[in-house]
Amino acid sequence: TVRIRAYVEETEQLEALVNLEEISDLYVNYSIFPSIFAKKTELADLNRWTDEIHRRKKKCYLVLPVIFRESLRQVFDGIWDRLAETGVDGIVIRNCEEYEFLKRHHFEKPVILDANVYTFNKRSREFWAKKGCGRDTAPVELNLKELSKGLRGR
């Protein structure tokens, strides 16, 4: 079966895609959830959406920022215990700093590597596989030939 995974940056995209039967996984940008920035004791908006995504038999992966500045690291440090207790199925990281952050917090759910964390050669795939990161996203710049070759090498 074909699994279609979709990345969303806006609530309107999430509202539309959660209803599509063809979508199996939703990669949801952290910025959609205001409670993360408000450092609330409850991440009600994230929990509500995660429950809705699961109710529709899909998986929900939280996508961390492209640049993990110190100020954002502090925000995530402050909410980590509550974030780890949400129903997210895993996290999509976009840089090495986020991997170290998750490692420091003993995150045990799947970690998916964004195309920014390059994995389209054998050495990089082996490197990340040793770290327990078995899934990634393909760079949008690749053509069909490059994608096919890269996927065969997995």
Coordinates of all heavy atoms in Angstrom, one line a residue, residues 91-96 98-100 102-103 107-114 117-119 122-137 154:
I91 N 8.7 12.7 16.2 CA 9.1 14.1 15.9 C 10.0 14.1 14.7 O 10.8 13.2 14.5 CB 9.9 14.7 17.1 CG1 8.9 14.9 18.3 CG2 10.6 16.0 16.8 CD1 9.5 15.6 19.5
V92 N 9.8 15.1 13.9 CA 10.6 15.4 12.7 C 11.6 16.4 13.1 O 11.2 17.5 13.5 CB 9.8 15.8 11.5 CG1 10.7 16.1 10.3 CG2 8.7 14.8 11.1
I93 N 12.9 16.1 12.9 CA 14.0 17.1 13.2 C 14.5 17.6 12.0 O 14.5 17.0 10.9 CB 15.1 16.5 14.1 CG1 15.8 15.3 13.4 CG2 14.5 16.0 15.5 CD1 17.1 14.9 14.1
R94 N 15.0 18.9 12.1 CA 15.5 19.6 10.9 C 17.0 19.9 11.0 O 17.5 20.6 10.1 CB 14.7 20.8 10.6 CG 13.3 20.4 10.3 CD 12.4 21.6 10.3 NE 11.4 21.5 9.2 CZ 10.6 22.5 8.9 NH1 10.5 23.6 9.6 NH2 9.7 22.3 7.9
N95 N 17.6 19.5 12.1 CA 19.0 19.8 12.3 C 19.6 19.0 13.4 O 18.9 18.3 14.1 CB 19.2 21.3 12.6 CG 18.4 21.8 13.7 OD1 18.6 21.3 14.9 ND2 17.5 22.7 13.5
C96 N 20.9 19.0 13.5 CA 21.6 18.1 14.5 C 21.4 18.6 15.9 O 21.4 17.8 16.8 CB 23.1 18.1 14.2 SG 23.5 17.3 12.6
E98 N 18.6 19.6 17.2 CA 17.4 19.0 17.7 C 17.6 17.5 18.0 O 17.0 17.0 19.0 CB 16.3 19.2 16.6 CG 15.9 20.6 16.5 CD 15.1 20.9 15.3 OE1 14.9 20.0 14.4 OE2 14.6 22.0 15.2
Y99 N 18.4 16.8 17.3 CA 18.7 15.4 17.6 C 19.4 15.4 19.0 O 19.0 14.6 19.9 CB 19.7 14.8 16.6 CG 20.1 13.4 17.1 CD1 19.3 12.3 17.0 CD2 21.4 13.3 17.7 CE1 19.7 11.1 17.5 CE2 21.8 12.1 18.2 CZ 21.0 11.0 18.1 OH 21.4 9.8 18.6
E100 N 20.3 16.2 19.3 CA 21.0 16.3 20.6 C 20.0 16.7 21.7 O 20.0 16.1 22.8 CB 22.2 17.3 20.6 CG 23.3 16.8 19.8 CD 23.9 15.5 20.3 OE1 24.0 15.3 21.5 OE2 24.3 14.6 19.5
L102 N 16.7 16.0 21.7 CA 15.9 14.8 22.0 C 16.6 13.8 22.7 O 16.1 13.1 23.6 CB 15.3 14.3 20.6 CG 14.4 15.2 19.9 CD1 14.0 14.5 18.6 CD2 13.2 15.5 20.7
K103 N 17.9 13.6 22.4 CA 18.7 12.6 23.1 C 18.9 13.0 24.6 O 18.8 12.1 25.4 CB 20.1 12.5 22.4 CG 21.1 11.5 23.0 CD 22.4 11.5 22.2 CE 23.4 10.7 22.9 NZ 24.7 10.8 22.2
F107 N 14.1 11.0 24.5 CA 13.0 10.8 23.7 C 13.0 9.4 23.0 O 14.0 9.1 22.4 CB 12.9 11.9 22.6 CG 11.6 11.9 21.8 CD1 10.4 12.3 22.4 CD2 11.6 11.5 20.5 CE1 9.2 12.3 21.6 CE2 10.4 11.5 19.7 CZ 9.3 11.9 20.3
E108 N 11.9 8.7 23.2 CA 11.9 7.3 22.7 C 11.0 7.0 21.6 O 11.0 5.8 21.1 CB 11.6 6.4 23.9 CG 12.7 6.4 25.0 CD 12.5 5.5 26.1 OE1 11.6 4.6 26.0 OE2 13.2 5.6 27.1
K109 N 10.3 7.9 21.1 CA 9.4 7.7 20.0 C 10.2 7.9 18.7 O 11.3 8.4 18.7 CB 8.2 8.6 20.0 CG 7.3 8.4 21.2 CD 6.1 9.4 21.2 CE 5.2 9.1 22.4 NZ 4.1 10.1 22.4
P110 N 9.6 7.5 17.5 CA 10.4 7.7 16.3 C 10.8 9.1 16.0 O 10.1 10.0 16.3 CB 9.4 7.2 15.2 CG 8.5 6.3 15.9 CD 8.4 6.8 17.3
V111 N 12.1 9.2 15.5 CA 12.6 10.5 15.1 C 12.8 10.4 13.6 O 13.5 9.5 13.1 CB 14.0 10.8 15.8 CG1 14.6 12.0 15.2 CG2 13.8 10.9 17.3
I112 N 12.2 11.3 12.9 CA 12.3 11.3 11.4 C 13.2 12.5 11.0 O 13.0 13.6 11.6 CB 10.9 11.5 10.8 CG1 10.0 10.3 11.2 CG2 11.0 11.6 9.3 CD1 8.6 10.4 10.9
L113 N 14.0 12.3 10.1 CA 15.0 13.3 9.6 C 14.4 14.1 8.4 O 14.0 13.5 7.4 CB 16.3 12.7 9.2 CG 17.0 11.8 10.3 CD1 18.1 11.0 9.7 CD2 17.4 12.7 11.4
D114 N 14.3 15.4 8.6 CA 13.9 16.2 7.5 C 15.0 16.3 6.4 O 16.2 15.9 6.7 CB 13.7 17.6 8.0 CG 13.2 18.6 7.0 OD1 12.0 18.5 6.6 OD2 14.0 19.5 6.6
V117 N 18.5 17.5 7.1 CA 19.5 16.6 7.7 C 19.8 15.6 6.6 O 19.1 14.6 6.5 CB 19.0 16.0 9.0 CG1 20.0 15.1 9.6 CG2 18.4 17.0 10.0
Y118 N 20.7 15.9 5.8 CA 20.9 15.2 4.5 C 21.2 13.7 4.8 O 22.1 13.3 5.6 CB 22.1 15.8 3.7 CG 22.2 15.2 2.3 CD1 21.3 15.7 1.4 CD2 23.1 14.3 2.0 CE1 21.3 15.2 0.1 CE2 23.1 13.7 0.7 CZ 22.3 14.2 -0.2 OH 22.3 13.7 -1.5
T119 N 20.4 12.8 4.1 CA 20.6 11.4 4.2 C 20.6 10.7 2.9 O 20.4 9.5 2.9 CB 19.4 10.8 5.1 OG1 18.2 11.1 4.4 CG2 19.4 11.4 6.5
K122 N 25.0 6.8 1.2 CA 25.1 5.6 2.0 C 25.7 5.9 3.4 O 25.2 5.5 4.4 CB 26.0 4.5 1.3 CG 26.1 3.3 2.1 CD 26.9 2.2 1.3 CE 27.0 1.0 2.1 NZ 27.8 -0.1 1.5
R123 N 26.8 6.7 3.4 CA 27.4 7.1 4.7 C 26.5 7.8 5.6 O 26.5 7.5 6.8 CB 28.7 7.9 4.5 CG 29.8 7.1 4.0 CD 31.1 7.9 4.0 NE 32.2 7.2 3.4 CZ 33.2 7.7 2.7 NH1 33.2 9.0 2.5 NH2 34.1 6.9 2.2
S124 N 25.8 8.8 5.1 CA 24.9 9.5 6.0 C 23.7 8.6 6.5 O 23.3 8.7 7.7 CB 24.3 10.8 5.3 OG 23.6 10.5 4.2
R125 N 23.2 7.8 5.7 CA 22.2 6.8 6.1 C 22.7 5.9 7.2 O 22.0 5.7 8.2 CB 21.6 6.0 5.0 CG 20.7 6.8 4.1 CD 19.9 5.9 3.1 NE 20.7 5.2 2.2 CZ 21.2 5.6 1.1 NH1 20.9 6.8 0.7 NH2 22.0 4.8 0.3
E126 N 23.9 5.4 7.0 CA 24.5 4.5 8.1 C 24.7 5.3 9.4 O 24.5 4.8 10.4 CB 25.8 3.9 7.5 CG 25.6 2.9 6.5 CD 26.9 2.5 5.8 OE1 28.0 3.1 6.1 OE2 26.9 1.5 5.0
F127 N 25.2 6.5 9.3 CA 25.5 7.3 10.4 C 24.2 7.5 11.2 O 24.1 7.3 12.5 CB 26.0 8.7 10.0 CG 26.1 9.7 11.1 CD1 27.2 9.7 11.9 CD2 25.1 10.6 11.3 CE1 27.4 10.6 13.0 CE2 25.2 11.6 12.4 CZ 26.4 11.6 13.2
W128 N 23.1 7.9 10.6 CA 21.8 8.2 11.3 C 21.2 6.9 11.7 O 20.5 6.9 12.8 CB 20.9 9.0 10.4 CG 21.4 10.4 10.4 CD1 21.9 11.1 9.4 CD2 21.4 11.4 11.5 NE1 22.3 12.4 9.7 CE2 21.9 12.6 11.0 CE3 20.9 11.3 12.8 CZ2 22.1 13.7 11.8 CZ3 21.1 12.4 13.6 CH2 21.6 13.6 13.1
A129 N 21.3 5.8 11.0 CA 20.8 4.5 11.4 C 21.4 4.1 12.7 O 20.7 3.6 13.6 CB 21.0 3.5 10.4
K130 N 22.7 4.3 12.9 CA 23.3 4.0 14.2 C 22.8 4.8 15.3 O 22.9 4.4 16.5 CB 24.9 4.2 14.1 CG 25.5 3.1 13.2 CD 27.0 3.4 13.1 CE 27.7 2.4 12.1 NZ 29.1 2.8 11.9
K131 N 22.3 5.9 15.0 CA 21.7 6.8 16.1 C 20.2 6.5 16.3 O 19.6 7.2 17.1 CB 21.9 8.3 15.7 CG 23.4 8.6 15.7 CD 23.6 10.1 15.6 CE 25.1 10.4 15.8 NZ 25.6 10.2 17.1
G132 N 19.7 5.5 15.6 CA 18.3 5.2 15.8 C 17.3 5.9 14.9 O 16.1 5.8 15.2
C133 N 17.8 6.7 14.0 CA 16.9 7.4 13.1 C 16.7 6.7 11.8 O 17.6 6.7 10.9 CB 17.4 8.8 12.8 SG 17.6 9.8 14.3
G134 N 15.6 6.0 11.6 CA 15.5 5.1 10.4 C 14.7 5.7 9.3 O 14.7 5.1 8.2
R135 N 14.0 6.8 9.5 CA 13.2 7.4 8.4 C 13.7 8.8 8.1 O 14.2 9.5 9.0 CB 11.7 7.4 8.8 CG 11.0 6.1 8.7 CD 9.6 6.1 8.9 NE 8.8 7.2 8.5 CZ 7.6 7.5 9.0 NH1 7.0 6.7 9.9 NH2 6.9 8.5 8.6
D136 N 13.4 9.2 6.9 CA 13.8 10.6 6.5 C 12.8 11.1 5.4 O 11.9 10.4 5.0 CB 15.2 10.6 6.0 CG 15.5 9.7 4.8 OD1 14.5 9.1 4.3 OD2 16.6 9.7 4.3
T137 N 13.0 12.3 5.1 CA 12.3 12.9 4.0 C 13.2 13.2 2.8 O 14.4 13.5 3.1 CB 11.5 14.2 4.4 OG1 12.5 15.1 4.9 CG2 10.5 13.9 5.5
R154 N 18.3 1.9 0.0 CA 17.8 1.9 1.4 C 17.6 0.5 1.8 O 17.2 -0.4 1.2 CB 16.6 2.7 1.6 CG 16.9 4.2 1.4 CD 15.7 5.0 1.4 NE 16.1 6.3 0.9 CZ 16.5 7.3 1.7 NH1 16.4 7.2 3.0 NH2 16.8 8.5 1.2

